[in-house]
Amino acid sequence: MPDRRITSRQNERVKQAVRLHHARDRAEQGRYTIDGVREISRALAGGAEFLEAFVCEELLADDLARALSARLEAADVPLWQVDRDIFAKVAFGARHEGIVAIARMREQPLSALKLPADPLVAVLVGIEKPGNVGAVLRSADGAGVSAVIVANGGTDLFNPNTIRTSLGTLFTVPIAAATGAETLAWLRAQGLTIYGARPDAELLYHQADFMRPTAIVLGSEATGLTADWLAPDVQAIRLPMHGAADSLNVSATAAVLFYEARRMRDTRLPKRT
Amino acid sequence: MPDRRITSRQNERVKQAVRLHHARDRAEQGRYTIDGVREISRALAGGAEFLEAFVCEELLADDLARALSARLEAADVPLWQVDRDIFAKVAFGARHEGIVAIARMREQPLSALKLPADPLVAVLVGIEKPGNVGAVLRSADGAGVSAVIVANGGTDLFNPNTIRTSLGTLFTVPIAAATGAETLAWLRAQGLTIYGARPDAELLYHQADFMRPTAIVLGSEATGLTADWLAPDVQAIRLPMHGAADSLNVSATAAVLFYEARRMRDTRLPKRT
């Protein structure tokens, strides 16, 4: 158990941690909050760089939570013991599992991404809602997407709601960030076939050949894909729309596309199953 | 333009409308709020029973909004003209497009559902988050699902966030509500093959035969399917999970399953495309 105790809400560490609830302060501090036993466990497994953690012993729900606290301590992460009141200020949302960790924000460059032989890459262009980003990451993880690239900015990966709704998959899916032009150049250099999801496409998604090395590009529902992604070698694909609405939620579109690629690879190429 | 004007926040109609932001009050009043030009337009098209509407003329954004106000008036819906302050109280969320309508809650019984020859039915069991319910409805609409059945309660269809995230498809997809037992009996009586999404299933979703008359049953992420849905004629199916997390967001699962059924029907049975 941590032997360092913080008893004042006015403590500077507490105040700095509370500010991390806001995107601007995360960017300024270069740090973000990871809240919850499952999320912190996955962040540990995924190699996140922990800077410190706040522990409220009486809130540590079970042996799993206590073991996690011990693992952080063993990894030389400074642990600060706090009471319920201070913990509630630092924690994000209502689920208080007794540990909140602070990690260093890292934006992996494209050059650091290592792709497998048959890559399936997802590119997110300005997807703003943290709940959608989290769900997209979760579907990418489930479908075995090789890497997720956040292009053109506008996607707040380190929002506590992104982390929460990603169920920690933010830490396990390889992620890189770059401008749109850099991303497009990199995808071309990797020899990927690039598909962009657009409601006005002629090609249906299940007519695409996702068995080749593939990149799937998804824009925001409000603004769609940016100009970078109108290049002639970006093939537009769409889902058929049989009802009243003209599109799905972006995280639903992502799930359908990622899993169709997975299905093609798993059923038509048995050697990859 | 409406000639009836409400100028006091203490007006009883205003107070009743404000209470509709809460599920309990919706159930008590048997009414719910529809907020936004697109949502109200779709509700009109879908046959919702409007009881009244609040209009703030200076907020009516464009000709579309003004035409909608005129359509409601032509349909003999009482329109109450209010100022910005009163409108902000009645509206839900931050998007103020100048019209908020109040409609009667209707729970269609199973007996009123009319299925096509090759039905594809979705059953939602206790899916609580309005954002998820809305996204599921939107995917059901897009994939051409014949009907959505809300079984076993616990799904708040008339939450303003459900309506908003459904993009109005709540009004266009046929919807019924019933107990789990009633729903199961009805699905059997219709001769549907029943598939239940469960993470512990052996059968992969793309191995299912969705070309038959089909029901797809989706439970909540937290509690899964209730005991009703463990019957031997409910075939368990799952998505392959290639990463760290053991499931997708329920709305992502729904989208993949609905669209796989759609794909099978569209590509293997060309006469139905």
Side-chain angles (χ1 to χ4, degrees):
Chain A
M1 277 298 112
D3 56 357
R4 279 166 284 199
R5 199 174 282 275
I6 294 176
T7 54
S8 163
R9 290 170 174 238
Q10 299 309 313
N11 178 284
E12 196 54 37
R13 281 183 193 280
V14 170
K15 285 158 76 178
Q16 290 295 321
V18 170
R19 291 198 187 101
L20 296 178
H21 296 174
H22 304 288
R24 199 182 52 194
D25 291 277
R26 287 194 291 278
E28 267 180 32
Q29 295 186 31
R31 312 190 308 158
Y32 65 104
T33 304
I34 312 176
D35 186 357
V37 168
R38 175 144 62 171
E39 282 76 6
I40 294 172
S41 298
R42 291 206 170 128
L44 264 172
E49 185 183 353
F50 288 94
L51 299 172
E52 61 186 348
F54 297 87
V55 175
C56 177
E57 262 188 81
E58 57 178 319
L59 285 173
L60 284 174
D62 51 23
D63 290 345
L64 201 69
R66 270 181 284 273
L68 179 61
S69 164
R71 277 172 65 200
L72 287 174
E73 199 165 22
D76 285 330
V77 177
L79 299 190
W80 307 101
Q81 204 170 340
V82 297
D83 64 18
R84 280 172 180 268
D85 282 353
I86 293 177
F87 189 85
K89 281 171 68 78
V90 173
F92 182 87
R95 196 184 58 172
H96 293 168
E97 297 179 348
I99 312 184
V100 165
I102 311 294
R104 192 187 306 280
M105 271 169 75
R106 285 181 306 182
E107 306 267 42
Q108 188 174 18
L110 284 171
S111 56
L113 275 188
K114 289 186 187 104
L115 295 183
D118 55 347
L120 173 62
V121 172
V123 180
L124 312 187
V125 179
I127 299 181
E128 290 189 347
K129 286 188 191 163
N132 281 341
V133 179
V136 170
L137 290 170
R138 201 169 154 191
S139 295
D141 169 80
V145 164
S146 324
V148 172
I149 302 173
V150 174
N152 307 81
T155 302
D156 184 13
L157 281 179
F158 299 101
N159 184 296
N161 276 329
T162 304
I163 299 173
R164 178 151 298 172
T165 54
S166 89
L167 287 195
T169 55
L170 174 62
F171 309 110
T172 56
V173 178
I175 296 178
T179 67
E182 285 165 356
T183 303
L184 192 54
W186 186 84
L187 297 173
R188 286 170 176 154
Q190 305 296 315
L192 302 190
T193 301
I194 307 170
Y195 292 103
R198 295 179 48 163
D200 59 352
E202 293 205 1
L203 194 67
L204 291 175
Y205 74 105
H206 53 68
Q207 295 165 335
D209 181 3
F210 290 136
M211 285 188 294
R212 299 194 212 181
T214 295
I216 295 174
V217 188
L218 297 154
S220 83
E221 289 175 49
T223 55
L225 294 178
T226 51
D228 292 318
W229 303 101
L230 301 177
D233 59 340
V234 177
Q235 295 183 56
I237 53 171
R238 69 176 174 89
L239 273 59
M241 299 300 302
H242 288 262
D246 55 8
S247 68
L248 303 192
N249 178 292
V250 65
S251 67
T253 300
V256 172
L257 297 180
F258 298 164
Y259 268 88
E260 178 64 1
R262 182 81 267 150
R263 186 193 67 76
M264 283 189 188
R265 289 160 178 234
D266 286 353
T267 60
R268 285 207 240 160
L269 287 180
K271 67 182 177 184
R272 286 179 187 162
T273 56
Chain B
M1 278 296 115
D3 55 357
R4 279 165 284 199
R5 198 174 283 274
I6 294 176
T7 54
S8 163
R9 290 170 174 238
Q10 299 309 313
N11 178 284
E12 196 53 37
R13 282 182 192 280
V14 170
K15 285 159 76 178
Q16 290 295 322
V18 171
R19 292 199 186 100
L20 295 178
H21 296 174
H22 305 287
R24 200 182 52 194
D25 291 278
R26 286 195 291 277
E28 268 179 31
Q29 293 186 33
R31 313 189 309 159
Y32 65 103
T33 303
I34 312 175
D35 186 355
V37 167
R38 175 144 62 168
E39 282 77 5
I40 295 172
S41 298
R42 291 208 170 127
L44 263 172
E49 185 182 353
F50 287 93
L51 299 171
E52 61 186 349
F54 297 87
V55 175
C56 177
E57 262 188 83
E58 56 179 320
L59 286 173
L60 284 175
D62 50 23
D63 289 346
L64 202 68
R66 270 180 283 274
L68 179 60
S69 163
R71 278 172 65 201
L72 287 174
E73 197 166 24
D76 285 332
V77 177
L79 298 190
W80 307 101
Q81 204 170 341
V82 296
D83 63 20
R84 279 173 180 267
D85 283 351
I86 293 177
F87 189 85
K89 282 171 67 78
V90 173
F92 183 89
R95 195 185 58 174
H96 293 167
E97 298 181 348
I99 311 184
V100 165
I102 312 293
R104 193 187 306 280
M105 270 167 74
R106 286 180 306 180
E107 307 268 41
Q108 189 175 17
L110 284 171
S111 57
L113 276 187
K114 288 188 188 105
L115 296 183
D118 55 349
L120 173 62
V121 171
V123 180
L124 311 188
V125 179
I127 299 180
E128 290 189 346
K129 285 188 192 163
N132 281 341
V133 179
V136 170
L137 291 170
R138 200 170 155 192
S139 294
D141 169 81
V145 163
S146 324
V148 172
I149 302 173
V150 173
N152 307 78
T155 303
D156 184 12
L157 282 178
F158 299 101
N159 183 296
N161 275 329
T162 305
I163 299 172
R164 179 152 296 174
T165 53
S166 88
L167 287 195
T169 55
L170 174 62
F171 309 111
T172 56
V173 177
I175 296 179
T179 67
E182 286 165 356
T183 304
L184 192 53
W186 185 85
L187 296 173
R188 287 168 176 154
Q190 305 296 314
L192 303 190
T193 301
I194 307 170
Y195 292 104
R198 294 178 49 163
D200 59 352
E202 294 205 1
L203 193 69
L204 291 174
Y205 75 104
H206 52 68
Q207 296 164 335
D209 182 3
F210 289 138
M211 284 188 294
R212 300 194 212 181
T214 295
I216 294 174
V217 188
L218 296 154
S220 83
E221 289 175 50
T223 56
L225 294 177
T226 51
D228 292 319
W229 304 99
L230 302 177
D233 60 338
V234 177
Q235 295 183 57
I237 53 172
R238 69 176 173 89
L239 273 60
M241 298 300 302
H242 289 262
D246 54 8
S247 67
L248 303 191
N249 178 292
V250 64
S251 66
T253 300
V256 172
L257 297 180
F258 298 164
Y259 267 87
E260 177 63 2
R262 182 81 265 151
R263 187 194 65 78
M264 284 189 188
R265 291 162 178 233
D266 285 354
T267 59
R268 284 206 242 159
L269 289 179
K271 66 182 177 184
R272 287 181 186 160
T273 54

